[in-house]
């Protein structure tokens, strides 16, 4: 199984978790690491992105949670790359049967993502627009890999999560 990890982190050099994850992923032959903010200072190359997606079985969108969503370049990627006739609509079946996973880090701890907590809603609720997108483009939406409370995490916890994350996204469904 070939896995494409699309990373959208605007300041990866200052990252603790996403960077550690990326470094771990790069050790694996079956994983293609594709860093959007490094690749595109200007226009996204839509054809190149579509070909990359077509060449993989599973796609991962990895990002730090920004304002209850992804950093803006991933949204732009969706707006430009998921075109009518390719990702949805008449004959738009290029991604059908592929799998989609979100890998997300949050500043807030898990206890803040619940009713009555600081953020009021769970991550499963807040990530619904991604799930709805997955439904429309015909990908199977697999459970997200979440890392809460990045600023309190120890080096050991981050390293452990990096290995666990790589193993998770490389494991076939059945
Ligand atoms: C512009 C911006 C918006 C953010 N919004 C959220 C948010 O909505 N919820 C949250 O839990 N953390 C938020 N954070 C914190 C980041 O999610 C956190 O710094 C990141 O996941 C850390 O990952 P890293 O070590 O890979 O950079 C935000 C940070 C920035 C810079």
């Amino acid at each position: 199984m070939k896995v494409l990890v699309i990373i959208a982190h605007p300041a990866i050099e200052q990252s603790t978790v996403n960077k550690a994850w990326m470094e771990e992923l790069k050790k694996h032959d079956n994983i293609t690491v594709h860093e959007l903010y490094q690749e595109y200072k200007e226009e996204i190359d839509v054809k190149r992105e579509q070909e990359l997606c077509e060449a993989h079985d599973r796609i991962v969108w990895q990002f730090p949670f920004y304002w209850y969503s992804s950093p803006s370049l991933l949204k732009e990627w969706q707006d430009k790359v998921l075109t009518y006739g390719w990702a949805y609509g008449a004959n738009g079946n290029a991604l059908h049967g592929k799998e989609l996973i979100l890998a997300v880090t949050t500043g807030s701890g898990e206890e803040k993502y619940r009713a009555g907590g600081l953020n009021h809603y769970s991550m499963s609720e807040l990530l619904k627009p991604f799930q709805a997108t997955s439904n429309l483009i015909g990908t199977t939406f697999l459970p997200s890999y979440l890392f809460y409370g990045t600023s309190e995490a120890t080096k050991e916890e981050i390293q452990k999560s990096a290995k666990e994350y790589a193993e998770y996204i490389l494991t076939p469904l059945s």
Side-chain angles (χ1 to χ4, degrees):
M1 185 178 57
K2 292 181 74 184
V3 184
L4 173 64
V5 182
I6 297 177
I7 301 177
H9 194 310
I12 194 91
E13 63 291 342
Q14 286 154 34
S15 151
T16 50
V17 183
N18 282 273
K19 192 168 162 208
W21 283 2
M22 180 177 75
E23 280 161 7
E24 177 63 31
L25 299 182
K26 284 181 175 169
K27 296 178 189 164
H28 297 269
D29 289 342
N30 287 343
I31 298 179
T32 306
V33 173
H34 189 58
E35 259 195 285
L36 287 188
Y37 281 93
Q38 301 307 312
E39 296 290 337
Y40 297 113
K41 304 294 176 211
E42 291 171 15
E43 280 288 283
I44 292 175
D45 183 341
V46 172
K47 191 162 180 287
R48 175 175 175 234
E49 295 302 307
Q50 291 181 340
E51 283 171 1
L52 257 179
C53 291
E54 286 167 10
H56 293 79
D57 310 297
R58 182 178 274 179
I59 298 164
V60 180
W61 288 339
Q62 178 191 319
F63 53 90
F65 212 35
Y66 273 19
W67 288 112
Y68 306 109
S69 187
S70 68
S72 57
L73 190 53
L74 182 58
K75 180 63 167 64
E76 188 181 344
W77 186 97
Q78 293 163 355
D79 295 351
K80 300 265 168 69
V81 177
L82 302 178
T83 53
Y84 180 87
W86 183 78
Y88 71 103
N91 301 319
N93 55 10
L95 300 173
H96 286 193
K98 295 187 190 292
E99 294 164 340
L100 183 67
I101 297 176
L102 304 181
V104 186
T105 61
T106 71
S108 295
E110 188 168 8
E111 75 289 352
K112 299 201 169 84
Y113 282 101
R114 65 164 77 127
L118 179 78
N119 298 309
H120 298 284
Y121 307 105
S122 67
M123 284 300 282
S124 157
E125 290 171 301
L126 293 165
L127 293 172
K128 284 287 183 252
F130 293 92
Q131 191 167 1
T133 300
S134 177
N135 292 341
L136 193 70
I137 64 178
T139 50
T140 302
F141 194 70
L142 298 184
S144 303
Y145 189 83
L146 303 175
F147 191 107
Y148 293 99
T150 49
S151 54
E152 266 122 59
T154 63
K155 266 197 176 139
E156 290 69 33
E157 286 165 343
I158 294 171
Q159 282 312 316
K160 186 167 166 266
S161 77
K163 292 213 180 315
E164 194 182 84
Y165 167 45
E167 194 183 318
Y168 172 54
I169 64 171
L170 280 169
T171 305
L173 200 50
S174 52

